[in-house]
Amino acid sequence: LGNNVSLTISVDAPDAFIYTGDDLTLPATGGDAGIGLKLKHKSEGTSKALIGNPNGTHLLFGKTELEGKVSLKDYSIKGGTKESSLTIAGGDADSFINTILPSGKIKIDFGLLLGYSKNRGFFIEGGAGFFVAIPLHKELGPLSLQTLTIGLKAGYKEAAEIELESSIGFSLTLGPLTAVVERIGLAAKLAYPVEDGNLGKTNLDFDFKPPSGIGLSVDAAAVKGGGFLLFEPDMSRYAGILELSFSGTVSLKAIGLLETKLPDGSDGFSLLIIISAEFQPVQLGYGFTLNGVGGLLGLNRTVKIDVLREGIKNNAIASVMFPTNIIQNAPRIISDLRQIFPPQDGKFLVGPMAKIGWGTPTIVTIELGIIIEVPEPIRIALLGIIRAILPEERAAILKLQVNFLGAWEQDKQLISFDAGLFDSRLLAFPLAGDMAFRLKYGDDPNFLLTVGGFHPAFTPPPLSLPNIARLSMSLLKGNNPRLLLQAYFAITSNTVQFGAKLEFYAKAWKFSVEGFLALDALFQFSPFYFIIGISGGVAVKAGSSVLFSIGLELTLSGPTPWNAKGKASFKILFVKVKVSFNKTWGEERDTTLPDAAVMPLLSQALSEDKNWEAKLPTRNQLLVTLKKMDNVGEGDIIAHPAGTLTVKQKVVPLDTTISRFGQQRPKDARRFTIKKAYSGADEFKKTIAKEHFAPAQFVDMSDAQKLSRKSFEQMPAGVMLSDTGNSLRSSKVVQRSVAYETKIMDTRFPILHLAGKLFERLQTFTALLRGNAMAKSELSFVNNADPMLSPGKVGTLQEGYTVVGVANLIPFDGKSEHESETQALNYMNELIKAAPALKDEIQVVPNYERAA
């Protein structure tokens, strides 16, 4: 209802409200509904101080609020202030007070809300606090007392709490060594009201206050450097940094992070240590030198690959690899490390690092590290920084700096590599750009490589890709005038993509000139063909109004013949003219590669030993031991009689009509099928075995399909052979009678033994069998079976495709459903070939879109 008044209607219902026709009631499990009115006001700036002198001692109210709520279960009212402060200026006091006040004034931030509700009674929210640091300047030999800190903090949690701190900061100098300790002393906490307090309803505790930080520096002839430890006991975490230089030849750096609480709040600890040493280059040969070594160790720590990937762009990766100026950059380094390596119980990290140079003096350096996370799922990250400065840093013509990260993530079945330029230039012209590589294996494989991004019409697959910046070079200094060149190149399983763009901008007074020239291209290789979109334009503006402009949109395809079509536009003031064109030239030539014979390659693949695999039965409760076979030749495959024998290949998909074979056309056949498989005179039972294939390598696709279709699909690749079952049947079944004798050793309770005899002997015998050695064997079917009352197993189904009617989305016939889109399109094309009238009546859709 405006900036300062809000009306809120709220509903919180775990289950639905119940309306009986006469009344609205709440379910037994909870829920609530209500209405509230809030009035608020926010003051900004010291000019809004309500009490006192804005330039001296004053009381400043920030946000003031008054709120009332009424609900089915409660009613409440509260009011107060937030983000307010009390400033005490020394100029308003005497000389003594002016002396002890830091910087002549202190500022106390506070917020306080008072209220009453039906359920809570009277309550207080918020709190207030202030700290005063009083300079001491007392020298006691090597000990220097620097500050006395008195702090007071009030708040309300389960009870009203007041915390009082009295601490001291001092430094200790012992020759070249200086140590600084911040805020060590005594803390007292008063809470009221509480149950069983040491002062009745009040509880008063005194405790030692550990230091907030400890710093250390050394300045000796041979050793220089320093470091500090940061203590955050309220958050149960600590950090430390150390940097030492020995005689200017060896530099040692160490960073440590310790947390004494796990993320879920349970007791435990997590530790991260990074140590590096840099020294005078050690020759390795061929111009390479070893300039430094280091390592990383993490206990109950994990590595966030996505955060590391973002660290390529924001240079957070430099906080891991041989960081520089770590004392000055300590807050940023500690923050980066906490985000990249957060605590996680049961995870361990280890990572060796090395700094390698080339040239004398060094003109190229590579900082390289490998981080391994165990136990499973295992993740391995290869990260580093490459710097090339030519001819030397003081007069660099080329400054090339690249962050990179390679990773293997076992749980995601993903291999990735990312790299990005930072703070790079050629002469005075900035350079920028990113690259990415992805290889996904397993059930949903994929592949891509890009330098600078993708074609504008291409939607990248979900492979943890960051925003990839175009390769760019600024050809002019500054932003006005601006001349920027951008480019990209990408390869996927379906496409080859390339593009570039040149932008120009200049502005003087109220007039500006803008222009660009861009192209985006897709390529195929057999027959060699490309299509390139070219666009460009120039505009002269006065403010935001266009005075003059000219534009061009062109699509160029070829070669043999070439074709150009598009439109051009011209505008001056309010007059605009458009012209369209379509031009073809050049003689037609055959650029197709020779046709390929597929059958020999398929036969060879099916005959190779590596493509055959024997497996045991899925439920191996046969309780037999197989005798070791003699005279097993090289390449022979041992198969269990009740198991399966699988043969599959990756040359060509089976049971699929193909129109191409890579960049060539098949010349001997377009469809391949394994019809039957025999062993002697007996035919095996045959089940389809699948592999992932890239559809664009086997069927013709339009440019739009190449950009939108899946890179890989599961298609038939072979067969899984198993016995039909007849050869394993026994020729004779023998029935045995089981007899046993009952002996009663205890005669004290004959009535119970008499009742036991009423059970049938077979049922008693069957019940007793559940505890015998056979039933308890690891191979026992009963022992390994799922309990009868256990919930069903959850699994995922592969997305399927169906040929359906355009009008009703009903499957066309009983053979319309297929596991891959390519096979479904294949079947649709066969139907249209047999009945051309179906062309506009059927289509392929995912299974979830078809009618039931």
Side-chain angles (χ1 to χ4, degrees), residues 15 103 342 367 526 553 744 773 801:
D15 297 319
S103 303
E367 298 175 8
S526 180
E553 295 180 8
I744 300 176
Y801 295 85

Side-chain angles (χ1 to χ4, degrees), residues 549-789:
S549 70
I550 184 170
L552 173 68
E553 295 180 8
L554 169 66
T555 300
L556 177 66
S557 61
T560 63
W562 300 85
N563 177 262
K565 61 180 179 180
K567 61 182 179 181
S569 62
F570 174 81
K571 179 181 180 181
I572 180 169
L573 297 178
F574 304 105
V575 180
K576 188 173 184 179
V577 179
K578 290 185 178 180
V579 178
S580 300
F581 57 92
N582 192 336
K583 178 70 174 176
T584 302
W585 73 95
E587 61 182 37
E588 187 171 346
R589 297 178 183 175
D590 186 10
T591 59
T592 306
L593 296 174
D595 293 344
V598 183
M599 191 64 191
L601 300 175
L602 177 60
S603 299
Q604 180 183 353
L606 291 174
S607 64
E608 293 180 358
D609 296 339
K610 65 180 181 180
N611 290 329
W612 290 75
E613 181 183 15
K615 292 185 178 180
L616 292 173
T618 53
R619 284 191 175 270
N620 185 20
Q621 283 87 28
L622 299 180
L623 303 177
V624 297
T625 301
L626 300 181
K627 179 184 177 182
K628 182 179 180 181
M629 298 181 63
D630 299 327
N631 302 322
V632 178
E634 184 178 355
D636 290 346
I637 299 175
I638 309 299
H640 195 287
T644 59
L645 187 63
T646 302
V647 56
K648 57 183 179 179
Q649 45 73 45
K650 298 182 180 180
V651 174
V652 61
L654 304 180
D655 302 322
T656 305
T657 302
I658 65 171
S659 55
R660 62 191 304 120
F661 186 67
Q663 307 303 329
Q664 299 172 274
R665 298 290 179 182
K667 71 177 182 180
D668 49 0
R670 290 180 177 269
R671 191 179 182 91
F672 304 88
T673 302
I674 298 175
K675 289 290 188 182
K676 294 182 178 181
Y678 289 91
S679 175
D682 297 329
E683 183 179 353
F684 283 110
K685 179 182 177 181
K686 181 167 63 72
T687 307
I688 298 299
K690 295 181 175 61
E691 271 291 348
H692 287 91
F693 292 92
Q697 299 295 314
F698 302 100
V699 296
D700 291 323
M701 290 186 182
S702 66
D703 295 327
Q705 289 174 324
K706 291 178 180 179
L707 291 171
S708 61
R709 288 277 300 275
K710 284 186 176 182
S711 298
F712 290 88
E713 292 181 6
Q714 273 201 339
M715 301 184 196
V719 291
M720 184 170 61
L721 308 173
S722 59
D723 191 88
T724 56
N726 294 327
S727 62
L728 295 178
R729 290 184 177 179
S730 175
S731 59
K732 183 180 180 181
V733 177
V734 179
Q735 184 173 358
R736 297 286 187 185
S737 298
V738 178
Y740 62 94
E741 181 182 3
T742 302
K743 290 185 178 182
I744 300 176
M745 308 299 295
D746 187 355
T747 59
R748 290 177 297 172
F749 305 101
I751 187 64
L752 297 180
H753 302 305
L754 179 61
K757 292 179 181 180
L758 298 178
F759 292 100
E760 296 182 9
R761 288 192 170 191
L762 180 60
Q763 292 178 342
T764 305
F765 180 74
T766 303
L768 294 174
L769 282 179
R770 296 173 184 169
N772 69 6
M774 185 69 74
K776 290 185 174 295
S777 167
E778 292 184 0
L779 301 177
S780 167
F781 177 82
V782 175
N783 191 47
N784 289 282
D786 295 328
M788 294 180 61
L789 298 180

Side-chain angles (χ1 to χ4, degrees), residues 438-606:
R438 295 292 185 274
L439 177 60
K440 193 174 189 311
Y441 56 95
D443 296 334
D444 187 20
N446 218 318
F447 162 80
L448 63 83
L449 170 66
T450 175
V451 179
F454 300 96
H455 191 284
F458 180 72
T459 301
L463 294 175
S464 302
L465 285 168
N467 182 28
I468 300 173
R470 291 280 196 253
L471 289 180
S472 63
M473 179 177 179
S474 182
L475 303 178
L476 293 175
K477 272 189 173 183
N479 200 42
N480 184 25
R482 178 175 72 245
L483 185 61
L484 180 66
L485 176 63
Q486 297 179 322
Y488 69 90
F489 176 76
I491 299 176
T492 70
S493 60
N494 289 348
T495 65
V496 174
Q497 310 169 26
F498 170 79
K501 185 176 183 180
L502 182 66
E503 293 182 356
F504 173 76
Y505 173 83
K507 183 177 181 180
W509 196 43
K510 295 184 178 181
F511 296 94
S512 63
V513 179
E514 301 177 16
F516 76 96
L517 179 64
L519 67 87
D520 298 285
L522 289 175
F523 292 87
Q524 74 175 34
F525 297 100
S526 180
F528 181 73
Y529 173 79
F530 66 86
I531 180 169
I532 301 176
I534 302 175
S535 60
V538 177
V540 178
K541 296 182 178 181
S544 59
S545 302
V546 178
L547 302 178
F548 168 80
S549 70
I550 184 170
L552 173 68
E553 295 180 8
L554 169 66
T555 300
L556 177 66
S557 61
T560 63
W562 300 85
N563 177 262
K565 61 180 179 180
K567 61 182 179 181
S569 62
F570 174 81
K571 179 181 180 181
I572 180 169
L573 297 178
F574 304 105
V575 180
K576 188 173 184 179
V577 179
K578 290 185 178 180
V579 178
S580 300
F581 57 92
N582 192 336
K583 178 70 174 176
T584 302
W585 73 95
E587 61 182 37
E588 187 171 346
R589 297 178 183 175
D590 186 10
T591 59
T592 306
L593 296 174
D595 293 344
V598 183
M599 191 64 191
L601 300 175
L602 177 60
S603 299
Q604 180 183 353
L606 291 174

Side-chain angles (χ1 to χ4, degrees), residues 305-318 382-384 402-406 417-422 433-435 466:
I305 300 296
D306 291 340
V307 179
L308 264 179
R309 195 172 283 127
E310 288 298 322
I312 292 176
K313 294 180 173 294
N314 57 33
N315 208 29
I317 200 170
L382 174 69
L383 64 157
V402 182
N403 290 329
F404 65 87
L405 170 68
F417 185 86
D418 297 85
L421 290 167
F422 72 96
D434 300 327
M435 70 86 61

